Amino acid sequence: QVQLVESGGGLVQAGGSLRLSCAASGLTFSPYTMGWFRQAPGKEREFVCAISWGWSADSIYLVDSVKGRFTISRDNAENTVYLQMNSLKPEDTAVYYCAAAVGQVESTQMRFPRWYPFWGQGTQVTVSS
């Protein structure tokens, strides 16, 4: 049984930083793709970034709005994926969800939730102005 548990959310002032963690259990096959999505109140869930690894070199994809501010990384030994968020803005306020897929999702497809069968419960990130 695959379980994803996010942590690290909280309240931070604009310009501050947070690091989210997604601890995965039950994922026993490589390659994987793990992504971060977010959903603000009254808005649809949107893709933030993803990392894919396995047969070839890691593939990372971030949406333009977070490039230069957010970094996704992984620790295979800990079965954990991290989202380092710097220079946070009030518009980054949302519930952040970790998602996982078995296999390397092609980079142009990473932003579509349909490729991720496994989801965490979400962690709230609130950025005050």
Side-chain angles (χ1 to χ4, degrees):
Q1 182 179 357
V2 176
Q3 286 189 323
L4 304 175
V5 179
E6 302 99 332
S7 61
L11 173 64
V12 64
Q13 288 188 331
S17 298
L18 284 173
R19 188 176 80 156
L20 305 184
S21 301
C22 174
S25 60
L27 286 173
T28 58
F29 304 102
S30 178
Y32 303 134
T33 299
M34 294 188 73
W36 288 95
F37 291 75
R38 65 187 180 186
Q39 188 166 19
K43 295 188 177 180
E44 293 187 353
R45 189 170 298 190
E46 67 171 354
F47 174 76
V48 177
C49 59
I51 182 169
S52 182
W53 69 92
W55 297 307
S56 58
D58 288 6
S59 177
I60 293 175
Y61 181 68
L62 300 95
V63 294
D64 288 345
S65 61
V66 305
K67 284 181 180 177
R69 301 190 298 124
F70 291 10
T71 304
I72 185 171
S73 61
R74 64 181 177 92
D75 183 334
N76 264 9
E78 297 294 328
N79 284 339
T80 301
V81 170
Y82 300 99
L83 179 62
Q84 178 66 44
M85 305 186 294
N86 299 326
S87 302
L88 283 161
K89 305 176 181 179
E91 51 264 43
D92 294 318
T93 295
V95 177
Y96 283 70
Y97 297 91
C98 174
V102 176
Q104 286 190 282
V105 178
E106 202 271 327
S107 59
T108 63
Q109 299 294 311
M110 284 180 173
R111 66 185 185 273
F112 297 115
R114 65 175 178 263
W115 296 111
Y116 301 87
F118 309 110
W119 291 81
Q121 81 289 350
T123 186
Q124 176 70 47
V125 171
T126 303
V127 184
S128 62
S129 57

